[in-house]
Amino acid sequence: MSETIKPRERDAILQSLRSGVVPKIGLDHIQVGRKAEVAAIINDFNRIENGGASVRFIIGRFGAGKSFFLNLSRAVALEKKFVVVNADISVEKRLYSNQGKARALYAELMQNMAIRAKPNGGALANVLEKFVSDVDHNVRQGGGADKEVAEEIIKKLKPLQDQVSGYDFANVLIKYLEGFHQQNETLMGNALRWLRAEYTTKTEAKQDLGVRNIISDENIYDYLKLLASFTRIAGYTGLLVNIDEMGVLSHRLNNAIARNQNYETILRILNDCLQGNVSGIGFVFAGTDGFLEDNRRGLYSYEALATRLSNQFAVKGLKDYSGPVISLECLSPEDLFVLLCNIRNVFASGDKAKYLVPDEAMKEFMSLCSKTLGADYFKTPRDLIKSFVGFLSVLEQNPSVSWKDILCSTKIEQSVDPESIPGPEDKDEGSDLTTLKL
């Protein structure tokens, strides 16, 4: 007997799939395949838990399931008590910029911060309060008072001060502590604003918090490393940074200098993670095969990245999960059939008696997709899933109509790869490569 699916999960799954996006909850109800890939990511999480670091590039064609895999890794990380931050790259949010666009990416990462107790984002304040409350409880259990609590927190944060930009980061956390004990909502709010990269001038930050620096375009990676160290101090396993839509960098930035500056930041992250220069942090970047392999615009156009990411022996279906790149292969027709069965089960809330269509209908649906989309129907499951959810939605709302009649009168269309659409010119970045600030 199938497991009953909660109405909230059912609605979230179906609404997301109908829109062509990945649901944030209930992934276990529809997940198929990818066992080896998931095992590789779990191995990365174990490495981070033991004080290491990891970086992965999830590569696949448009609609192949990269975002789904990213959300799946997010769900696994939350179960393992990670702090997870995620964001999408866009023309206005990048890893490197001199126009506030890198700071905008960092701000979105902080806004989307999630923990197991608050999986939908906005968890920064919860992480800070947990840290303060845990220290406060432990010290008072031993007979300490406010003074001893403050001293213990300062002691725990001292290792942060040895890192780049760590002095101001630690001081802002201490300011949050002061506001917490004084019930000063303004001071706590200012500390959160600083940690979310919402201060745009050093003068304002100094007036409100007494610190000299702010989180800016030039230092977002340094602050991600600091945040990772703090999450470990606060009792979490580590920090997972999930960044999707990396293809924007390769195919939407027409300015070669802007691309190379972002690739230089990726190279720095890659070197640090592979060489053991950082700990307690993992990066998962998702992008199309063009983002990786395009020798003119992709990561392979940057020689230092090409030599670190390519493996000339991993060809003709051979796998290598020990390297940074995980290429998502096409799901088999058998996997796709199981996926459609899972979606049918979600529609029925796990009750087999409420299935809208028999197995025969799903086979006919796959045959229709094969005829309409050709070989692409199993290479890009997004179009298949969207169409199938729409098919079942119509049947659910029109119970008197035969599923055969609907399929006979339906044409399934293929989505357009956004990377095939030319991006705007990027004239806002500096034209001198010597302006790189890393």
Side-chain angles (χ1 to χ4, degrees), residues 1-6 9 29 349-351:
M1 183 175 181
S2 300
E3 178 186 356
T4 301
I5 300 172
K6 298 177 181 177
E9 285 189 325
H29 295 303
S349 299
D351 185 352

Side-chain angles (χ1 to χ4, degrees), residues 22-24 27-28 31 34 37-46 48 54 56-58 65-86 114 239-244 282-286 326 328:
V22 179
K24 287 190 175 181
L27 294 181
D28 55 309
Q31 164 64 16
R34 309 297 189 206
E37 293 88 344
V38 171
I41 288 291
I42 292 176
N43 186 57
D44 290 346
F45 293 163
N46 293 335
I48 296 168
S54 73
R56 289 284 185 175
F57 296 83
I58 309 303
K66 299 181 298 298
S67 297
F68 185 94
F69 188 83
L70 223 60
N71 272 18
L72 184 62
S73 67
R74 174 183 179 274
V76 174
L78 290 177
E79 286 300 312
K80 289 182 169 291
K81 290 190 63 180
F82 275 77
V83 175
V84 182
V85 294
N86 66 275
L239 178 69
L240 179 66
V241 183
N242 278 353
I243 301 183
D244 202 355
F283 290 87
V284 182
F285 300 110
I326 293 180
L328 296 183

Side-chain angles (χ1 to χ4, degrees), residues 10 17 65 87 162 178 194 199 205 216 284 286 308 352:
R10 177 190 184 275
L17 296 181
D162 297 330
E178 293 178 8
W194 191 94
Y199 277 96
S216 62
V284 182
R308 287 162 175 79
K352 291 183 178 181

Side-chain angles (χ1 to χ4, degrees), residues 72-124:
L72 184 62
S73 67
R74 174 183 179 274
V76 174
L78 290 177
E79 286 300 312
K80 289 182 169 291
K81 290 190 63 180
F82 275 77
V83 175
V84 182
V85 294
N86 66 275
D88 291 348
I89 292 288
S90 72
V91 174
E92 299 301 321
K93 293 181 296 226
R94 315 176 191 173
L95 291 167
Y96 178 92
S97 172
N98 56 20
Q99 295 289 325
K101 297 173 183 178
R103 185 175 63 82
L105 176 67
Y106 185 93
E108 182 171 336
L109 288 169
M110 296 304 103
Q111 181 180 352
N112 295 333
M113 180 181 290
I115 54 176
R116 187 165 58 179
K118 195 167 186 180
N120 294 323
L124 179 58

